[in-house]
Amino acid sequence: MARLAGQVFEFEGFVLAPRERLLLRNGEAVPLAGKAFDMLCLLVRRAGHLVVKDELLDVVWRDAAVTEVNLTVAMSSIRKALHPSMVETVSGHGYRFTAAV
């Protein structure tokens, strides 16, 4: 694999390179739309810790007026791209990335 620029995260056969906006599974690119990719980056950087919904909305959708539905749609995309069990839903609060990074 070519050298990736910036911080790179590895977990369960995946490589996440935020600066390159690239998600790989076993060396193959996995498509993930913009906001879902940004949300995954935040969750992976905070692996093992709860990321509350307000923080996700503030960081990922900075200047946009959105609702929790946007989080749900992005999370659905993330779970389709990864293994669904890698992200825990903490009902009413937020999400926690559970895979070892």
Side-chain angles (χ1 to χ4, degrees), residues 8-47:
V8 175
F9 302 91
E10 296 183 34
F11 50 93
E12 297 186 25
F14 289 88
V15 174
L16 178 66
R19 188 168 167 199
E20 300 291 328
R21 299 201 58 82
L22 184 63
L23 176 64
L24 302 171
R25 178 180 32 225
N26 300 320
E28 297 292 321
V30 178
L32 195 58
K35 295 300 185 187
F37 186 88
D38 294 340
M39 187 169 158
L40 176 61
C41 290
L42 178 57
L43 290 167
V44 169
R45 283 185 174 112
R46 302 269 311 277

Side-chain angles (χ1 to χ4, degrees), residues 53-85:
K53 293 177 183 181
D54 286 343
E55 181 179 0
L56 286 163
L57 291 169
D58 289 345
V59 172
V60 177
W61 286 272
R62 285 177 207 122
D63 299 321
V66 295
T67 66
E68 288 184 20
V69 171
N70 298 85
L71 289 177
T72 303
V73 170
M75 183 51 62
S76 177
S77 296
I78 291 169
R79 287 192 167 123
K80 286 178 185 173
L82 306 177
H83 303 294
S85 63

